[in-house]
Amino acid sequence: MKFEDVIGQEDCKERLLKMVHEDRIPHAILLCGPAGCGKMAIALAFASYLLCNGHDGDSSRKHSDSDLKDSLDLNGNDDDSCGKCSQCVMLSKWAHPDLHFSYPVIRPAGTGSEHKMSSDDFASEWRHMLLQGPYFTMDQWLSEMNAANQQAQIGVGESDDLIRKLSLKSSQGGYKVSIIWLPERMNAECANKLLKIIEEPPHKTVFIMVCEEPEKLLDTILSRAQRIDVKRIDSKEIEQALIERRGIDADAALRIARSANGSWLSALEALDTSSEKRIFLEMFIMLMRLAYMRNIKELKKWSETVSSYGREKQKRMLSYFLHLVRENFMYNFRNPQLVYMSQDEENFARKFAVFINEANVIEISELMNRAIKDISQNANAKIVFFDLATKVIVSLIKKP
């Protein structure tokens, strides 16, 4: 993984490279940002850069004879990993002995309670997902683990394993890098055990934490890491990547990039004819049509259908509903620069947008936010969604 493979985020790349060139790499870095902005891609590229032997970013690195031989044919770029040395060969398979991954895992059915789950229990699944690309979601990871409706977390077994691994000397004589994906999912026991090693890590050990909800982290962990906020990807960067990497024509790439809202994952979803977002759009259209018709019987069936989704998927669907409510309201102003919708979303909005107006837009948005909160607190999904559906009936009839 190279910096050049990361979509956009030039400011973040330059900041990390400056740390290396000025020899002031923090012992713990916290990359924070929304899903799809490329936090994991940046973490992987930076880890690869630190471990690569084909550049002079680390003047104290010890090169073996074989690495020196490999470096004779390298590109000499001091601002990226070479992709050719023996270290990069191992990194291309995510099998480098000095790169350690920690991530949320589930407890499979039949696993005894005495076993402390750790990332090693799903190492092959994790490596398989990474090889597909550095842009992925928690839901994709849960699917990779066959998690069904289970919630994933980082438990104390992970802290025990990580402390043991990092206490060993570097296998290759350089850095040891620990990438922790979604540290906010660490339970209290795990987080407290890792505090000491994060604050005082072994020599040339770097922690890179990839976080989406930093407010859920312990303050003591936040204070021990240098935070870097990764912004949403610029629409122009997404548009260019769609054209160059996916072969999309310019007009389609422009529309997709605008509606992606800075997320490469959202852009990829728009290209997938069976994508989750298309399913969510169908559910939104069904909800609004049935609510307008006041068809309580079918709304009950609708609520039962969406209640069968996993909780993470339900929250993503409701967040998408919020997006559509906002976009349909803005559509009424007839200013294309204010609207960020796909072609299918806009086709529906042409007739529906008038029903989202000044009298109900805030009320409907609050209904969606309340449903997200209830689902997050493990409320009964059937009750939550049926209550939402019946209240939308009342909201839709309101006129400005």
Side-chain angles (χ1 to χ4, degrees), residues 51 53 62 64 67 87 90 95-100 165-177 203-204:
L51 296 169
N53 273 338
K62 297 178 181 179
S64 67
D67 288 326
Q87 309 301 313
M90 289 186 284
H96 195 288
D98 293 326
L99 177 60
H100 307 285
K165 292 173 183 175
L166 295 178
S167 66
L168 303 174
K169 289 185 177 181
S170 167
S171 170
Q172 304 298 303
Y175 281 102
K176 290 179 290 183
V177 181
H203 180 60
K204 295 189 74 173

Side-chain angles (χ1 to χ4, degrees), residues 70 167 199 218 232 297:
D70 290 339
S167 66
E199 184 177 25
L218 293 178
R232 295 182 182 277
K297 183 178 180 180

Side-chain angles (χ1 to χ4, degrees), residues 35 136-143 263 265-284 306 308-321 324 342 344-345:
F136 51 83
T137 64
M138 169 54 75
D139 201 55
Q140 288 173 292
W141 174 229
L142 291 173
S143 177
S263 169
L265 289 171
S266 295
L268 294 181
E269 279 185 11
L271 302 179
D272 185 359
T273 56
S274 61
S275 73
E276 182 180 80
K277 187 173 287 187
R278 291 179 186 272
I279 296 172
F280 290 167
L281 175 60
E282 292 173 4
M283 290 295 103
F284 180 82
V306 296
S308 66
Y309 299 164
R311 292 192 183 276
E312 295 297 328
K313 185 174 181 178
Q314 289 167 0
K315 289 189 287 185
R316 288 197 305 278
M317 182 185 74
L318 289 166
S319 296
Y320 176 70
F321 284 7
L324 287 183
S342 68
D344 289 340
E345 292 166 352

Side-chain angles (χ1 to χ4, degrees), residues 27-39:
H27 60 266
I29 297 171
L30 185 65
L31 298 175
C32 301
C37 69
K39 301 180 299 299

Side-chain angles (χ1 to χ4, degrees), residues 203-220:
H203 180 60
K204 295 189 74 173
T205 298
V206 177
F207 287 92
I208 306 174
M209 293 179 276
V210 181
C211 181
E212 290 182 3
E213 299 175 288
E215 67 277 3
K216 292 184 178 180
L217 277 172
L218 293 178
D219 289 339
T220 43

